[in-house]
């Protein structure tokens, strides 16, 4: 979930992530509709999850008590990149300490890994060409501040649009798959 200006911080609620003095938590709520809900249900199917520490802490404080909304997140393995956390009471949690651990996990057998939130982790993955697919839910709002999806340092990469939908509330939901290196040329070619 991102805004038109690329903010992904605290889409779910006012207290979700107020770091940096962020005051716009819950910005996605006014745009909920049936079309977006159907796509979210597809994305919330069983998977394993790769999360940054801060997103993990937010998730771990909410999802174990709300299994009725998203049961798969409690059952899936949560891989957490953190140099400070080593254990959690939330079942199926594994802590990773480095980029090398992520690369090893990515190259192993197992289910797909989904990243939710985790702005710094996503930037690390983009910088190291470890993103195979993006599901972007682009909301028709700008905030001007907050944690961004993309920052300086993302490795140049091409993606192909494989699926898209515009909801009745103007949210663009787009699935992009990695398509190789960036090609350049002259306009009009």
């Amino acid at each position: 979930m991102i805004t038109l200006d690329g903010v992904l911080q605290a889409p779910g609620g006012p207290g979700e992530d107020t770091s940096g003095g962020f005051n716009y938590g819950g910005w996605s709520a006014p745009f909920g509709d049936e079309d977006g809900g159907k796509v979210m249900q597809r994305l919330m199917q069983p998977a394993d999850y790769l999360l940054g520490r801060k997103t993990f802490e937010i998730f771990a404080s909410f999802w174990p008590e709300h299994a009725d909304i998203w049961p798969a997140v409690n059952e899936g393995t949560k891989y957490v990149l953190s140099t400070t956390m080593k254990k959690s009471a939330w079942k199926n949690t594994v802590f990773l300490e480095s980029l090398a651990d992520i690369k090893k996990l990515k190259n192993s057998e197992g289910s797909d890994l989904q990243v939710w939130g985790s702005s710094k982790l996503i930037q690390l993955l983009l910088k190291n060409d470890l993103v195979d697919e993006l599901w972007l839910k682009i909301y028709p709002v700008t905030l001007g501040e907050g944690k961004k999806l993309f920052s300086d340092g993302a490795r140049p990469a091409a993606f192909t649009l494989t699926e898209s939908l515009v909801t009745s509330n103007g949210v663009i939901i787009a699935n992009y798959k990695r398509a190789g290196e960036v090609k350049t040329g002259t306009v009009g070619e």
Side-chain angles (χ1 to χ4, degrees):
M1 296 178 209
I2 64 170
T3 64
L4 288 172
D5 57 343
V7 174
L8 57 71
Q9 187 170 354
E16 187 177 48
D17 180 1
T18 58
S19 62
F22 189 72
N23 293 315
Y24 300 107
W27 50 264
S28 70
F31 301 97
D33 67 5
E34 188 176 331
D35 293 333
K38 287 178 183 176
V39 172
M40 286 301 290
Q41 288 303 312
R42 280 182 44 210
L43 295 176
M44 294 168 73
Q45 293 302 307
D48 288 339
Y49 308 93
L50 177 60
L51 304 169
R53 181 191 51 82
K54 289 180 183 178
T55 298
F56 174 78
E57 288 174 341
I58 293 167
F59 275 33
S61 70
F62 183 82
W63 289 115
E65 303 302 320
H66 296 88
D68 56 316
I69 301 170
W70 188 8
V73 76
N74 288 312
E75 299 307 316
T77 301
K78 280 75 66 183
Y79 295 96
V80 183
L81 180 62
S82 176
T83 57
T84 58
M85 290 184 79
K86 303 294 181 206
K87 63 181 180 174
S88 171
W90 196 11
K91 68 179 180 177
N92 303 325
T93 300
V94 175
F95 290 94
L96 307 175
E97 294 183 356
S98 67
L99 180 62
D101 291 341
I102 293 172
K103 287 179 179 179
K104 183 178 177 182
L105 177 63
K106 184 177 185 316
N107 292 322
S108 68
E109 295 294 321
S111 70
D112 288 344
L113 290 170
Q114 294 182 0
V115 178
W116 291 72
S118 306
S119 61
K120 289 183 180 179
L121 173 60
I122 291 172
Q123 292 167 9
L124 178 69
L125 297 174
L126 288 166
K127 181 179 180 180
N128 289 280
D129 198 21
L130 294 173
V131 175
D132 297 323
E133 184 174 359
L134 294 167
W135 271 97
L136 302 178
K137 292 164 284 308
I138 307 162
Y139 289 75
V141 63
T142 58
L143 299 177
E145 62 181 63
K147 296 175 183 175
K148 305 275 184 159
L149 175 61
F150 300 103
S151 70
D152 292 339
R155 184 177 187 163
F159 289 83
T160 299
L161 180 67
T162 60
E163 185 177 345
S164 64
L165 167 74
V166 179
T167 71
S168 62
N169 288 329
V171 177
I172 299 168
I173 301 173
N175 176 236
Y176 293 95
K177 292 198 177 176
R178 187 72 161 80
E181 299 301 314
V182 173
K183 294 180 175 37
T184 60
T186 303
V187 176
E189 287 185 342

